[in-house]
Amino acid sequence: MDTMPMARMGPRKKKPRQMGASMASPAHDIKFRDLVLYILERKMGTTRRAFLMELARRKGFRVENELSDSVTHIVAENNSGSDVLEWLQVQNIKASSQLELLDVSWLIECIGAGKPVEMTGKHQLVARRDFSASSNPEPQKIPPLAVQKISPYACQRRTTLNNCNHIFTDAFEVLAENYEFRENEGCCLAFMRAASVLKSLPFTIISMKDTEGIPCLGDKVKCIIEEIIEDGQSSEVKAVLNDERYQSFKLFTSVFGVGLKTSEKWFRMGFRNLSNIRSDKTLKFTRMQKAGFLYYEDLVSCVTRAEAEAVSVLVNEAVWAFLPDASVTMTGGFRRGKKIGHDVDFLITSPESTEEDEQQLLPKVINLWERKGLLLYYDLMESTFEKFKLPSRKVDALDHFQKCFLILKLHHQRVDSGKSGQQEGKTWKAIRVDLVMCPYECRAYALLGWTGSRQFERDLRRYATHERKMILDNHALYDKTKRIFLKAESEEEIFAHLGLDYIDPWERNA
Ligand code: CTP
Ligand code: MN
Ligand code: MN
């Protein structure tokens, strides 16, 4: 692959052929005929634009001087999606809905690779409804942005990590959490749904007009949006952040093994900080909470991707020592492309193993780590799986797979960078790991269920129930009308059974 850095390409422009000259005569062969690029000068400047145009043409890209109907990809720098959309509107371009609007980082990667590279959420200035997983960079026909109705179900929206409404979603998440602490489920859900829908928007809300036609935004939510637009913050959020109960619950639940009940108890007893709780002789802690306090600092500092990869190596080594044909997939937030997480989740399954092999794998893995001194905590939950039971109706139901919640000792030298989160003297970091073992037939359902996000999963189940008369859980999909279980080999097949467009894992960050 040609990955020549930009700096070294610079001097080449001194060649006889002038950049300006190439405007009229594309002296380069066009290798990628399906792509017609246009580079936006706005906020980029003439010189840099001309330079990038020349580079791209040299690599075989077709780059137009003028914006025309044939353009398929618009590349911009220092412009937001709404900046470009606005600019397009002014240009009176009717075909705007069929364009890919991309950040210059995409073009630079293409130039580096000498060919079109996959367009991901981080490149796209405006999220595309039908952006597919394949590295197929061909332009896709989509309906105009304006008439695309936003679904009230997260499983019908594409939500990348590219959230351009943080200012609102952060506020809603604080309010949702506060309602959760106060056990007000209805209000909690309303704010979580509102946050979720705003995360999927391809533009930043800057006026109340932008909220028109967006589902899941009730009056209360809209009031807060309005306040944030006007004052930059919400007084209610500010009050919650300063609330003693909220602050205490937030702190207490940050300890592994501490939920609402324990937090409530400690709050009522008058505790307001962790050190007093830790040193109190009258309190009884569960094994989980003891581990939570013991490794508190490590566990609250998030797991990085490099650390997750290092854990993945450990898991693969251990699993393959006992079940060489097993497949180990990293699920959870990291599968959705997150750069950090509170834990690392893995799904394990094996095509050839017997039920007994399956049952013994996790205990064997735990035993191996124990002998190696890597096991800081574990809680093994035996499978309660019954093959012919109906899927659960509960939207937040736990599954019946054998699983293990662990805290592993990860030595710094096993991590790529070598020094992530290193403290003096301590050569390792405690990492939360979830392992799930599932029967081979269920793997697609288990994978879908353990990839999340939680909001995405909730809405998948809600959609299945209310729109399809089906019951979905982490094991199966049941069609109540036909009274049959629908088999699936892949996540794509599950979406198809539900009549949904396929949504890639990195678009499930609802
Ligand atoms: N999950 C589940 N049953 C559980 C626990 C989790 O089905 N008992 C699923 C949830 O749908 C969740 C996913 O597994 O989306 C991963 O859970 P978790 O690790 O809690 O969340 P992440 O999305 O991975 O977030 P983080 O990065 O903070 O770990
Ligand atoms: Mn996780
Ligand atoms: Mn987890």
Side-chain angles (χ1 to χ4, degrees):
M1 204 166 65
D2 179 4
T3 50
M4 203 175 359
M6 296 288 292
R8 280 188 27 224
M9 291 177 174
R12 278 210 200 164
K13 66 185 168 188
K14 294 212 179 90
K15 275 185 176 176
R17 198 187 334 97
Q18 288 270 296
M19 265 191 297
S22 69
M23 302 269 278
S25 58
H28 309 282
D29 287 338
I30 294 170
K31 283 200 244 168
F32 315 108
R33 299 196 165 270
D34 295 331
L35 278 73
V36 184
L37 313 189
Y38 175 80
I39 304 177
L40 195 60
E41 189 178 300
R42 187 174 182 271
K43 295 194 188 165
M44 178 187 279
T46 335
T47 324
R48 179 157 164 82
R49 175 173 183 256
F51 174 61
L52 288 171
M53 281 170 68
E54 168 67 9
L55 280 179
R57 283 171 178 162
R58 230 187 258 168
K59 295 285 176 176
F61 288 89
R62 178 171 161 199
V63 189
E64 296 291 279
N65 294 321
E66 310 285 339
L67 186 62
S68 70
D69 283 344
S70 57
V71 169
T72 61
H73 294 59
I74 291 188
V75 176
E77 186 163 47
N78 298 324
N79 279 272
S80 71
S82 59
D83 287 342
V84 181
L85 286 176
E86 207 172 287
W87 178 83
L88 277 169
Q89 233 161 24
V90 179
Q91 310 305 306
N92 233 335
I93 291 295
K94 62 176 188 312
S96 69
S97 58
Q98 292 174 16
L99 287 169
E100 279 292 350
L101 307 186
L102 297 153
D103 184 71
V104 73
S105 59
W106 173 77
L107 181 64
I108 289 170
E109 282 176 41
C110 290
I111 292 170
K115 60 177 190 212
V117 300
E118 187 179 328
M119 291 171 284
T120 63
K122 70 172 189 237
H123 300 125
Q124 291 171 308
L125 296 172
V126 174
R128 309 267 57 167
R129 251 188 61 76
D130 57 353
F131 171 60
S132 79
S134 67
S135 53
N136 170 10
E138 279 175 27
Q140 294 167 2
K141 302 263 182 247
I142 62 164
L145 288 160
V147 302
Q148 275 176 34
K149 259 194 91 176
I150 301 169
S151 170
Y153 294 105
C155 55
Q156 290 186 302
R157 303 190 294 254
R158 292 173 198 270
T159 315
T160 65
L161 290 165
N162 209 342
N163 174 7
C164 37
N165 286 290
H166 261 297
I167 185 165
F168 304 107
T169 59
D170 289 352
F172 295 166
E173 280 168 359
V174 167
L175 297 177
E177 199 174 27
N178 187 48
Y179 283 119
E180 187 193 347
F181 293 160
R182 291 171 184 276
E183 287 175 72
N184 182 338
E185 260 180 64
C187 287
C188 173
L189 201 60
F191 280 105
M192 285 202 295
R193 283 201 186 136
S196 172
V197 76
L198 294 199
K199 284 180 189 175
S200 76
L201 292 184
F203 56 87
T204 305
I205 289 178
I206 49 170
S207 76
M208 287 314 283
K209 204 170 171 299
D210 295 333
T211 64
E212 281 169 22
I214 301 176
C216 315
L217 305 181
D219 290 343
K220 212 167 159 209
V221 168
K222 282 198 173 159
C223 278
I224 289 165
I225 296 180
E226 193 159 20
E227 208 188 339
I228 295 175
I229 290 173
E230 279 166 15
D231 307 337
Q233 60 176 357
S234 142
S235 52
E236 196 178 332
V237 173
K238 214 172 147 191
V240 168
L241 288 172
N242 284 316
D243 177 56
E244 206 178 18
R245 184 187 158 98
Y246 175 81
Q247 289 175 350
S248 303
F249 270 60
K250 185 93 185 146
L251 184 65
F252 299 164
T253 54
S254 72
V255 181
F256 175 57
V258 178
L260 293 186
K261 256 197 222 127
T262 310
S263 299
E264 179 83 53
K265 191 177 93 188
W266 291 347
F267 185 73
R268 281 201 196 170
M269 290 172 81
F271 290 108
R272 295 295 179 266
N273 63 57
L274 292 180
S275 55
N276 286 354
I277 295 173
R278 245 169 165 159
S279 57
D280 192 288
K281 295 280 182 294
T282 62
L283 289 175
K284 278 214 163 22
F285 302 120
T286 63
R287 210 168 58 83
M288 210 179 195
Q289 291 162 353
K290 280 180 196 157
F293 279 121
L294 205 50
Y295 308 113
Y296 183 76
E297 306 301 332
D298 280 356
L299 299 183
V300 288
S301 84
C302 285
V303 184
T304 63
R305 179 162 286 276
E307 287 163 347
E309 295 298 342
V311 172
S312 174
V313 172
L314 275 178
V315 175
N316 276 292
E317 281 172 0
V319 168
W320 290 341
F322 305 110
L323 263 188
D325 77 333
S327 86
V328 178
T329 311
M330 202 191 285
T331 60
F334 285 109
R335 183 162 184 252
R336 302 195 307 272
K338 279 177 62 178
K339 292 205 168 66
I340 52 163
H342 93 283
D343 68 354
V344 201
D345 309 279
F346 294 94
L347 179 69
I348 307 164
T349 189
S350 147
E352 302 292 341
S353 64
T354 62
E355 225 169 280
E356 204 186 333
D357 291 337
E358 257 168 39
Q359 213 193 338
Q360 285 175 1
L361 180 73
L362 291 186
K364 281 179 179 167
V365 166
I366 292 166
N367 190 270
L368 175 77
W369 284 337
E370 177 125 61
R371 279 184 281 128
K372 287 191 174 179
L374 299 179
L375 197 63
L376 298 174
Y377 168 89
Y378 80 93
D379 181 15
L380 180 70
M381 296 160 82
E382 283 305 333
S383 163
T384 51
F385 190 63
E386 286 166 68
K387 272 198 175 139
F388 303 101
K389 241 174 95 181
L390 269 183
S392 166
R393 273 157 214 278
K394 288 199 211 123
V395 224
D396 274 320
L398 296 177
D399 58 51
H400 306 290
F401 301 132
Q402 189 192 44
K403 51 186 155 299
C404 193
F405 304 131
L406 314 109
I407 301 177
L408 281 188
K409 183 188 269 193
L410 180 68
H411 287 285
H412 292 315
Q413 82 246 23
R414 295 196 69 107
V415 183
D416 239 4
S417 60
K419 37 187 176 297
S420 66
Q422 207 160 2
Q423 292 168 356
E424 280 225 1
K426 191 158 149 275
T427 57
W428 51 271
K429 179 175 167 184
I431 309 258
R432 272 273 300 114
V433 176
D434 287 344
L435 300 181
V436 184
M437 181 82 205
C438 81
Y440 196 66
E441 317 82 75
C442 303
R443 69 196 181 286
Y445 288 101
L447 182 60
L448 181 61
W450 276 85
T451 297
S453 67
R454 273 171 205 277
Q455 192 59 35
F456 191 88
E457 303 295 330
R458 266 189 216 112
D459 277 8
L460 265 177
R461 282 159 212 212
R462 212 159 55 88
Y463 178 87
T465 307
H466 298 294
E467 307 295 330
R468 301 281 160 193
K469 288 200 166 50
M470 292 182 186
I471 309 174
L472 173 73
D473 68 10
N474 284 1
H475 324 91
L477 179 62
Y478 182 74
D479 187 326
K480 288 201 283 182
T481 319
K482 294 186 189 150
R483 298 192 178 180
I484 49 167
F485 284 96
L486 301 167
K487 288 205 166 61
E489 298 284 318
S490 65
E491 290 179 311
E492 282 87 344
E493 286 181 30
I494 304 173
F495 281 87
H497 283 321
L498 288 166
L500 288 169
D501 285 345
Y502 181 63
I503 308 279
D504 275 307
W506 53 89
E507 299 167 320
R508 298 183 203 157
N509 288 291

Short mmCIF file of all heavy atoms in Angstrom, two decimals, residues 234-257:
data_model
loop_
_atom_site.label_atom_id
_atom_site.label_comp_id
_atom_site.label_asym_id
_atom_site.label_seq_id
_atom_site.Cartn_x
_atom_site.Cartn_y
_atom_site.Cartn_z
N SER A 234 -29.00 24.11 31.14
CA SER A 234 -30.34 23.96 31.69
C SER A 234 -30.27 24.11 33.20
O SER A 234 -29.41 23.50 33.86
CB SER A 234 -30.90 22.59 31.32
OG SER A 234 -31.64 22.04 32.37
N SER A 235 -31.17 24.90 33.75
CA SER A 235 -31.15 25.14 35.20
C SER A 235 -31.45 23.84 35.95
O SER A 235 -30.92 23.60 37.03
CB SER A 235 -32.15 26.22 35.57
OG SER A 235 -33.42 25.90 35.02
N GLU A 236 -32.31 23.00 35.35
CA GLU A 236 -32.66 21.74 36.02
C GLU A 236 -31.44 20.82 36.11
O GLU A 236 -31.19 20.20 37.14
CB GLU A 236 -33.79 21.06 35.24
CG GLU A 236 -34.46 19.98 36.05
CD GLU A 236 -35.62 19.32 35.33
OE1 GLU A 236 -36.26 19.98 34.48
OE2 GLU A 236 -35.87 18.14 35.61
N VAL A 237 -30.69 20.76 35.03
CA VAL A 237 -29.48 19.92 35.03
C VAL A 237 -28.49 20.44 36.06
O VAL A 237 -27.89 19.67 36.82
CB VAL A 237 -28.84 19.88 33.62
CG1 VAL A 237 -27.50 19.17 33.67
CG2 VAL A 237 -29.77 19.21 32.63
N LYS A 238 -28.37 21.76 36.10
CA LYS A 238 -27.44 22.38 37.05
C LYS A 238 -27.84 22.02 38.48
O LYS A 238 -27.00 21.67 39.31
CB LYS A 238 -27.50 23.91 36.87
CG LYS A 238 -26.16 24.56 37.11
CD LYS A 238 -26.21 26.03 36.73
CE LYS A 238 -25.31 26.83 37.65
NZ LYS A 238 -25.53 28.27 37.49
N ALA A 239 -29.15 22.06 38.74
CA ALA A 239 -29.64 21.73 40.09
C ALA A 239 -29.35 20.26 40.42
O ALA A 239 -28.93 19.94 41.53
CB ALA A 239 -31.13 22.02 40.18
N VAL A 240 -29.56 19.39 39.44
CA VAL A 240 -29.31 17.96 39.68
C VAL A 240 -27.83 17.71 39.98
O VAL A 240 -27.48 17.01 40.92
CB VAL A 240 -29.77 17.10 38.47
CG1 VAL A 240 -29.24 15.67 38.59
CG2 VAL A 240 -31.28 17.10 38.35
N LEU A 241 -26.97 18.35 39.18
CA LEU A 241 -25.53 18.14 39.37
C LEU A 241 -25.07 18.61 40.76
O LEU A 241 -24.09 18.12 41.29
CB LEU A 241 -24.73 18.87 38.28
CG LEU A 241 -24.82 18.25 36.88
CD1 LEU A 241 -24.17 19.14 35.84
CD2 LEU A 241 -24.20 16.85 36.86
N ASN A 242 -25.82 19.57 41.33
CA ASN A 242 -25.46 20.06 42.66
C ASN A 242 -26.21 19.35 43.77
O ASN A 242 -26.01 19.63 44.94
CB ASN A 242 -25.74 21.56 42.74
CG ASN A 242 -24.68 22.36 42.00
OD1 ASN A 242 -23.49 22.08 42.11
ND2 ASN A 242 -25.13 23.32 41.21
N ASP A 243 -27.10 18.42 43.38
CA ASP A 243 -27.94 17.74 44.36
C ASP A 243 -27.13 16.68 45.12
O ASP A 243 -26.43 15.88 44.52
CB ASP A 243 -29.12 17.11 43.61
CG ASP A 243 -30.01 16.32 44.54
OD1 ASP A 243 -30.49 16.90 45.52
OD2 ASP A 243 -30.18 15.11 44.28
N GLU A 244 -27.28 16.70 46.44
CA GLU A 244 -26.49 15.81 47.28
C GLU A 244 -26.81 14.34 47.01
O GLU A 244 -25.93 13.49 46.97
CB GLU A 244 -26.79 16.15 48.75
CG GLU A 244 -25.65 15.79 49.65
CD GLU A 244 -25.92 16.16 51.10
OE1 GLU A 244 -27.10 16.38 51.46
OE2 GLU A 244 -24.94 16.21 51.86
N ARG A 245 -28.09 14.06 46.85
CA ARG A 245 -28.50 12.68 46.62
C ARG A 245 -27.93 12.17 45.29
O ARG A 245 -27.38 11.08 45.21
CB ARG A 245 -30.03 12.59 46.61
CG ARG A 245 -30.54 11.18 46.47
CD ARG A 245 -32.07 11.20 46.30
NE ARG A 245 -32.50 9.97 45.66
CZ ARG A 245 -32.96 8.93 46.32
NH1 ARG A 245 -33.09 8.96 47.62
NH2 ARG A 245 -33.31 7.83 45.66
N TYR A 246 -28.04 13.01 44.24
CA TYR A 246 -27.50 12.62 42.94
C TYR A 246 -26.00 12.37 43.02
O TYR A 246 -25.50 11.34 42.58
CB TYR A 246 -27.80 13.71 41.89
CG TYR A 246 -27.15 13.43 40.55
CD1 TYR A 246 -27.75 12.56 39.65
CD2 TYR A 246 -25.93 14.01 40.20
CE1 TYR A 246 -27.15 12.27 38.43
CE2 TYR A 246 -25.33 13.74 38.98
CZ TYR A 246 -25.94 12.87 38.09
OH TYR A 246 -25.34 12.59 36.90
N GLN A 247 -25.29 13.31 43.63
CA GLN A 247 -23.83 13.18 43.74
C GLN A 247 -23.44 11.91 44.49
O GLN A 247 -22.54 11.18 44.08
CB GLN A 247 -23.24 14.39 44.46
CG GLN A 247 -23.28 15.65 43.62
CD GLN A 247 -22.80 16.88 44.39
OE1 GLN A 247 -22.61 16.83 45.62
NE2 GLN A 247 -22.63 17.98 43.68
N SER A 248 -24.16 11.63 45.60
CA SER A 248 -23.84 10.45 46.40
C SER A 248 -24.12 9.16 45.63
O SER A 248 -23.30 8.24 45.62
CB SER A 248 -24.65 10.43 47.69
OG SER A 248 -24.42 11.62 48.40
N PHE A 249 -25.29 9.10 44.99
CA PHE A 249 -25.64 7.90 44.22
C PHE A 249 -24.64 7.66 43.10
O PHE A 249 -24.25 6.54 42.81
CB PHE A 249 -27.06 8.01 43.67
CG PHE A 249 -28.12 7.48 44.59
CD1 PHE A 249 -28.28 8.02 45.85
CD2 PHE A 249 -28.94 6.43 44.20
CE1 PHE A 249 -29.26 7.54 46.71
CE2 PHE A 249 -29.92 5.93 45.05
CZ PHE A 249 -30.09 6.49 46.31
N LYS A 250 -24.27 8.73 42.45
CA LYS A 250 -23.31 8.65 41.34
C LYS A 250 -22.00 8.04 41.85
O LYS A 250 -21.43 7.15 41.24
CB LYS A 250 -23.08 10.07 40.80
CG LYS A 250 -22.20 10.16 39.59
CD LYS A 250 -23.00 10.14 38.31
CE LYS A 250 -22.07 10.10 37.11
NZ LYS A 250 -22.56 9.36 35.98
N LEU A 251 -21.57 8.53 43.00
CA LEU A 251 -20.32 8.05 43.60
C LEU A 251 -20.46 6.59 44.06
O LEU A 251 -19.62 5.74 43.73
CB LEU A 251 -19.98 8.95 44.79
CG LEU A 251 -18.66 8.69 45.50
CD1 LEU A 251 -17.49 8.98 44.56
CD2 LEU A 251 -18.55 9.55 46.76
N PHE A 252 -21.53 6.27 44.78
CA PHE A 252 -21.68 4.92 45.33
C PHE A 252 -21.81 3.89 44.21
O PHE A 252 -21.21 2.82 44.27
CB PHE A 252 -22.92 4.83 46.24
CG PHE A 252 -22.87 5.75 47.44
CD1 PHE A 252 -24.03 6.03 48.17
CD2 PHE A 252 -21.68 6.33 47.85
CE1 PHE A 252 -24.00 6.88 49.27
CE2 PHE A 252 -21.63 7.19 48.95
CZ PHE A 252 -22.79 7.47 49.66
N THR A 253 -22.61 4.21 43.17
CA THR A 253 -22.81 3.22 42.10
C THR A 253 -21.57 3.09 41.21
O THR A 253 -21.52 2.22 40.36
CB THR A 253 -24.03 3.55 41.22
OG1 THR A 253 -23.89 4.89 40.72
CG2 THR A 253 -25.34 3.41 41.97
N SER A 254 -20.58 3.95 41.43
CA SER A 254 -19.35 3.79 40.64
C SER A 254 -18.50 2.63 41.19
O SER A 254 -17.53 2.24 40.58
CB SER A 254 -18.53 5.09 40.63
OG SER A 254 -17.94 5.31 41.90
N VAL A 255 -18.92 2.11 42.35
CA VAL A 255 -18.22 0.94 42.91
C VAL A 255 -18.84 -0.33 42.32
O VAL A 255 -20.06 -0.48 42.35
CB VAL A 255 -18.35 0.92 44.46
CG1 VAL A 255 -17.60 -0.29 45.04
CG2 VAL A 255 -17.84 2.21 45.07
N PHE A 256 -17.99 -1.19 41.77
CA PHE A 256 -18.44 -2.47 41.22
C PHE A 256 -19.23 -3.22 42.30
O PHE A 256 -18.74 -3.37 43.42
CB PHE A 256 -17.20 -3.26 40.78
CG PHE A 256 -17.47 -4.66 40.29
CD1 PHE A 256 -18.33 -4.89 39.23
CD2 PHE A 256 -16.81 -5.74 40.87
CE1 PHE A 256 -18.55 -6.18 38.76
CE2 PHE A 256 -17.01 -7.04 40.41
CZ PHE A 256 -17.89 -7.25 39.35
N GLY A 257 -20.45 -3.64 41.98
CA GLY A 257 -21.25 -4.40 42.94
C GLY A 257 -22.21 -3.55 43.75
O GLY A 257 -22.98 -4.07 44.56
#
